[in-house]
Amino acid sequence: MADKIKMTTPLVEMNGDEMTRVIWEMIKEILLEPYIELNTEYYDLSLENRNQTNDQITIDSARAAIKHGVAVKCATITPNAQRMQEYTLKEMWKSPNGTIRSIMDGTVFRAPIIVDGIEPLVRNWKKPIIIARHAYGDVYKNIEHSIEEGGRAEILVTEANGQTHKHLIHEFRNTAGIVQGQHNTDASIESFAMSCFSYALEIKYDLWFATKDTISKKYDHRFKDIFDDVFERHYKKLFENAGLEYFYTLIDDAVARVMRSEGGFIWACKNYDGDVMSDMVAAAFGSLGMMTSVLVSRGGAYEYEAAHGTVTRHYYKHLKGEETSTNSIATLYAWTGALYKRAELDRNHDLTIFALMLEKAAKATIESGIMTGDLYALSTLQKKEKVNTREFLIAVNEKLKELL
Ligand code: NAP
Ligand code: MG
């Protein structure tokens, strides 16, 4: 075999938990280490290590991602009450993804991997629909209150100069009810807009954005205005030159158009819309195992990962020594995405080719009929075979050898 590919600059490697951690090692062993002298700065974000380091490891890994510009992350457990017991945790540590996202000040873009035989449920969808979710504020940072009958709810705003404004929300004369306060910030919306326009340019996709500005004349309208302003000031020329379009419409119109489209664009969504629509789009494109995600920081650093979690149910089977058939495609694409980005920044031609060939080999394997159980259940191929977690990666390696 030829010499292994060398890497001049390290890639930040964030390891994680459960079944995806098992897959992580298999990918490195079977598909990466035989071909590349992997140069990674390693951070172990397993729940045990986050607990041991009082979550400092997560913070350090995010800073490293900013420093080196490219990271690849394995899925991680976000602890809940049950995990507190299972892992005897000192604290209910926050979601690592939330921590990393806020340090990197980034936007998450979630994209489906499309292969022949796994047909989207929406039959006119031919190309990916990439959802960009604004992951700050609105209902996710709300204040809520249950109000008794006869109560009255108001908004009170105090300006920096002490001036106050009071707005009546509702008088609950004959019934009890509920109220909610929400906010967002210009800085966060602007950062979101910048990430969306930059990423659209980078991958040469049109950008769609939608809110309900006709009903929410100040709140949603501000989102629209900031996007317009950022576009006019920084991106209009660049989009023109690249032959790309920025398209704004109302959220309900956007939903209707998305259904009728053939895909091939980024759909920027407010926080709640992104939460809901990303699950709808993922389900319509097939399996969660075929959805990748990339966090793009305002400063241009990239963190790649699978959109799914640690696949706990499969991990418990694996621990009992039972066979698993877990889809490794999204985790594999996190690696190829990161390697490709690293290669681009370092002008490492061999690494670029390798990353592309590995993706091609993975797709070709599924299209040849070899796949994990989740895809087996969906595939329309006549001749198909369900293989276990390791067998799938070995089959990808056979294809890869043919391509290299
Ligand atoms: P999940 O790990 O995504 O798995 C949910 C179910 O989806 C699985 O049980 C499996 O269905 C199917 N699935 C997901 N990925 C698959 C794959 N690669 N191959 C085959 N099937 C796949 O979500 P969860 O069970 O809600 O969460 C498990 C843990 O992951 C939690 O601790 C959560 O905090 C964490 N999580 C982490 C991230 C992240 O780090 N980005 C994201 C989400 C969740 P079947 O069981 O029917 O086969
Ligand atoms: Mg959701």
Side-chain angles (χ1 to χ4, degrees), residues 17-31:
D17 291 300
E18 300 196 311
M19 199 60 209
T20 38
R21 189 180 179 96
V22 174
I23 287 173
W24 196 260
E25 291 313 320
M26 286 185 190
I27 289 175
K28 285 172 67 176
E29 174 209 322
I30 299 168
L31 293 170

PDB file of all heavy atoms in Angstrom, residues 17-31:
ATOM      1  N   ASP A  17     -20.272   9.159  23.625  1.00  0.00           N
ATOM      2  CA  ASP A  17     -20.841   8.121  24.477  1.00  0.00           C
ATOM      3  C   ASP A  17     -21.500   6.976  23.694  1.00  0.00           C
ATOM      4  O   ASP A  17     -21.892   7.118  22.540  1.00  0.00           O
ATOM      5  CB  ASP A  17     -21.920   8.737  25.374  1.00  0.00           C
ATOM      6  CG  ASP A  17     -21.349   9.683  26.418  1.00  0.00           C
ATOM      7  OD1 ASP A  17     -20.531   9.238  27.239  1.00  0.00           O
ATOM      8  OD2 ASP A  17     -21.723  10.878  26.400  1.00  0.00           O
ATOM      9  N   GLU A  18     -21.670   5.872  24.420  1.00  0.00           N
ATOM     10  CA  GLU A  18     -22.531   4.742  24.073  1.00  0.00           C
ATOM     11  C   GLU A  18     -22.259   4.174  22.672  1.00  0.00           C
ATOM     12  O   GLU A  18     -21.109   3.989  22.294  1.00  0.00           O
ATOM     13  CB  GLU A  18     -24.012   5.144  24.284  1.00  0.00           C
ATOM     14  CG  GLU A  18     -24.256   5.522  25.758  1.00  0.00           C
ATOM     15  CD  GLU A  18     -25.705   5.573  26.175  1.00  0.00           C
ATOM     16  OE1 GLU A  18     -26.528   6.186  25.491  1.00  0.00           O
ATOM     17  OE2 GLU A  18     -26.003   4.985  27.243  1.00  0.00           O
ATOM     18  N   MET A  19     -23.330   3.902  21.902  1.00  0.00           N
ATOM     19  CA  MET A  19     -23.155   3.193  20.622  1.00  0.00           C
ATOM     20  C   MET A  19     -22.325   4.017  19.642  1.00  0.00           C
ATOM     21  O   MET A  19     -21.535   3.470  18.859  1.00  0.00           O
ATOM     22  CB  MET A  19     -24.530   2.862  20.015  1.00  0.00           C
ATOM     23  CG  MET A  19     -24.458   1.758  18.974  1.00  0.00           C
ATOM     24  SD  MET A  19     -23.822   0.226  19.685  1.00  0.00           S
ATOM     25  CE  MET A  19     -23.056  -0.509  18.239  1.00  0.00           C
ATOM     26  N   THR A  20     -22.497   5.323  19.684  1.00  0.00           N
ATOM     27  CA  THR A  20     -21.729   6.149  18.745  1.00  0.00           C
ATOM     28  C   THR A  20     -20.233   6.133  19.103  1.00  0.00           C
ATOM     29  O   THR A  20     -19.391   6.274  18.225  1.00  0.00           O
ATOM     30  CB  THR A  20     -22.265   7.597  18.687  1.00  0.00           C
ATOM     31  OG1 THR A  20     -22.665   8.007  19.993  1.00  0.00           O
ATOM     32  CG2 THR A  20     -23.433   7.702  17.740  1.00  0.00           C
ATOM     33  N   ARG A  21     -19.917   5.933  20.377  1.00  0.00           N
ATOM     34  CA  ARG A  21     -18.506   5.809  20.766  1.00  0.00           C
ATOM     35  C   ARG A  21     -17.922   4.493  20.228  1.00  0.00           C
ATOM     36  O   ARG A  21     -16.772   4.447  19.797  1.00  0.00           O
ATOM     37  CB  ARG A  21     -18.381   5.867  22.299  1.00  0.00           C
ATOM     38  CG  ARG A  21     -16.942   5.976  22.786  1.00  0.00           C
ATOM     39  CD  ARG A  21     -16.874   6.040  24.320  1.00  0.00           C
ATOM     40  NE  ARG A  21     -15.510   6.132  24.795  1.00  0.00           N
ATOM     41  CZ  ARG A  21     -14.893   7.266  25.112  1.00  0.00           C
ATOM     42  NH1 ARG A  21     -15.522   8.419  24.999  1.00  0.00           N
ATOM     43  NH2 ARG A  21     -13.649   7.254  25.537  1.00  0.00           N
ATOM     44  N   VAL A  22     -18.734   3.459  20.248  1.00  0.00           N
ATOM     45  CA  VAL A  22     -18.307   2.171  19.687  1.00  0.00           C
ATOM     46  C   VAL A  22     -18.043   2.331  18.181  1.00  0.00           C
ATOM     47  O   VAL A  22     -17.021   1.898  17.650  1.00  0.00           O
ATOM     48  CB  VAL A  22     -19.389   1.092  19.939  1.00  0.00           C
ATOM     49  CG1 VAL A  22     -19.029  -0.212  19.233  1.00  0.00           C
ATOM     50  CG2 VAL A  22     -19.589   0.868  21.437  1.00  0.00           C
ATOM     51  N   ILE A  23     -18.994   2.996  17.505  1.00  0.00           N
ATOM     52  CA  ILE A  23     -18.870   3.224  16.061  1.00  0.00           C
ATOM     53  C   ILE A  23     -17.645   4.087  15.748  1.00  0.00           C
ATOM     54  O   ILE A  23     -16.935   3.864  14.766  1.00  0.00           O
ATOM     55  CB  ILE A  23     -20.161   3.905  15.530  1.00  0.00           C
ATOM     56  CG1 ILE A  23     -21.310   2.897  15.507  1.00  0.00           C
ATOM     57  CG2 ILE A  23     -19.940   4.512  14.159  1.00  0.00           C
ATOM     58  CD1 ILE A  23     -22.646   3.513  15.153  1.00  0.00           C
ATOM     59  N   TRP A  24     -17.415   5.060  16.593  1.00  0.00           N
ATOM     60  CA  TRP A  24     -16.278   5.994  16.447  1.00  0.00           C
ATOM     61  C   TRP A  24     -14.964   5.210  16.309  1.00  0.00           C
ATOM     62  O   TRP A  24     -14.181   5.437  15.394  1.00  0.00           O
ATOM     63  CB  TRP A  24     -16.234   6.877  17.698  1.00  0.00           C
ATOM     64  CG  TRP A  24     -15.411   8.114  17.623  1.00  0.00           C
ATOM     65  CD1 TRP A  24     -14.148   8.294  18.108  1.00  0.00           C
ATOM     66  CD2 TRP A  24     -15.806   9.386  17.080  1.00  0.00           C
ATOM     67  NE1 TRP A  24     -13.728   9.578  17.903  1.00  0.00           N
ATOM     68  CE2 TRP A  24     -14.735  10.276  17.274  1.00  0.00           C
ATOM     69  CE3 TRP A  24     -16.970   9.841  16.446  1.00  0.00           C
ATOM     70  CZ2 TRP A  24     -14.785  11.607  16.864  1.00  0.00           C
ATOM     71  CZ3 TRP A  24     -17.014  11.161  16.048  1.00  0.00           C
ATOM     72  CH2 TRP A  24     -15.935  12.030  16.258  1.00  0.00           C
ATOM     73  N   GLU A  25     -14.770   4.276  17.234  1.00  0.00           N
ATOM     74  CA  GLU A  25     -13.536   3.482  17.220  1.00  0.00           C
ATOM     75  C   GLU A  25     -13.466   2.610  15.970  1.00  0.00           C
ATOM     76  O   GLU A  25     -12.413   2.466  15.367  1.00  0.00           O
ATOM     77  CB  GLU A  25     -13.433   2.612  18.480  1.00  0.00           C
ATOM     78  CG  GLU A  25     -13.192   3.405  19.765  1.00  0.00           C
ATOM     79  CD  GLU A  25     -12.084   4.464  19.645  1.00  0.00           C
ATOM     80  OE1 GLU A  25     -11.041   4.183  19.004  1.00  0.00           O
ATOM     81  OE2 GLU A  25     -12.275   5.581  20.174  1.00  0.00           O
ATOM     82  N   MET A  26     -14.614   2.045  15.578  1.00  0.00           N
ATOM     83  CA  MET A  26     -14.631   1.179  14.386  1.00  0.00           C
ATOM     84  C   MET A  26     -14.280   1.977  13.130  1.00  0.00           C
ATOM     85  O   MET A  26     -13.545   1.494  12.273  1.00  0.00           O
ATOM     86  CB  MET A  26     -16.021   0.565  14.188  1.00  0.00           C
ATOM     87  CG  MET A  26     -16.356  -0.535  15.170  1.00  0.00           C
ATOM     88  SD  MET A  26     -17.974  -1.237  14.673  1.00  0.00           S
ATOM     89  CE  MET A  26     -18.307  -2.272  16.084  1.00  0.00           C
ATOM     90  N   ILE A  27     -14.825   3.174  13.030  1.00  0.00           N
ATOM     91  CA  ILE A  27     -14.543   4.006  11.846  1.00  0.00           C
ATOM     92  C   ILE A  27     -13.051   4.310  11.771  1.00  0.00           C
ATOM     93  O   ILE A  27     -12.427   4.193  10.715  1.00  0.00           O
ATOM     94  CB  ILE A  27     -15.369   5.325  11.897  1.00  0.00           C
ATOM     95  CG1 ILE A  27     -16.846   5.035  11.647  1.00  0.00           C
ATOM     96  CG2 ILE A  27     -14.827   6.340  10.890  1.00  0.00           C
ATOM     97  CD1 ILE A  27     -17.764   6.247  11.791  1.00  0.00           C
ATOM     98  N   LYS A  28     -12.489   4.668  12.914  1.00  0.00           N
ATOM     99  CA  LYS A  28     -11.054   5.004  12.917  1.00  0.00           C
ATOM    100  C   LYS A  28     -10.218   3.778  12.546  1.00  0.00           C
ATOM    101  O   LYS A  28      -9.315   3.855  11.716  1.00  0.00           O
ATOM    102  CB  LYS A  28     -10.647   5.548  14.288  1.00  0.00           C
ATOM    103  CG  LYS A  28     -11.131   6.978  14.506  1.00  0.00           C
ATOM    104  CD  LYS A  28     -10.909   7.461  15.924  1.00  0.00           C
ATOM    105  CE  LYS A  28      -9.436   7.608  16.265  1.00  0.00           C
ATOM    106  NZ  LYS A  28      -9.280   8.177  17.628  1.00  0.00           N
ATOM    107  N   GLU A  29     -10.581   2.661  13.165  1.00  0.00           N
ATOM    108  CA  GLU A  29      -9.788   1.440  12.957  1.00  0.00           C
ATOM    109  C   GLU A  29      -9.897   0.922  11.516  1.00  0.00           C
ATOM    110  O   GLU A  29      -8.894   0.576  10.893  1.00  0.00           O
ATOM    111  CB  GLU A  29     -10.293   0.379  13.955  1.00  0.00           C
ATOM    112  CG  GLU A  29      -9.674  -0.999  13.784  1.00  0.00           C
ATOM    113  CD  GLU A  29     -10.642  -2.103  14.227  1.00  0.00           C
ATOM    114  OE1 GLU A  29     -11.374  -1.904  15.227  1.00  0.00           O
ATOM    115  OE2 GLU A  29     -10.664  -3.152  13.548  1.00  0.00           O
ATOM    116  N   ILE A  30     -11.134   0.896  10.990  1.00  0.00           N
ATOM    117  CA  ILE A  30     -11.346   0.238   9.690  1.00  0.00           C
ATOM    118  C   ILE A  30     -11.136   1.183   8.504  1.00  0.00           C
ATOM    119  O   ILE A  30     -10.588   0.790   7.484  1.00  0.00           O
ATOM    120  CB  ILE A  30     -12.763  -0.382   9.637  1.00  0.00           C
ATOM    121  CG1 ILE A  30     -12.913  -1.433  10.737  1.00  0.00           C
ATOM    122  CG2 ILE A  30     -13.065  -0.980   8.256  1.00  0.00           C
ATOM    123  CD1 ILE A  30     -14.345  -1.909  10.966  1.00  0.00           C
ATOM    124  N   LEU A  31     -11.546   2.454   8.658  1.00  0.00           N
ATOM    125  CA  LEU A  31     -11.589   3.318   7.479  1.00  0.00           C
ATOM    126  C   LEU A  31     -10.618   4.499   7.483  1.00  0.00           C
ATOM    127  O   LEU A  31     -10.363   5.093   6.436  1.00  0.00           O
ATOM    128  CB  LEU A  31     -13.017   3.856   7.288  1.00  0.00           C
ATOM    129  CG  LEU A  31     -14.055   2.804   6.909  1.00  0.00           C
ATOM    130  CD1 LEU A  31     -15.455   3.375   6.979  1.00  0.00           C
ATOM    131  CD2 LEU A  31     -13.765   2.265   5.513  1.00  0.00           C
TER     132      LEU A  31
END
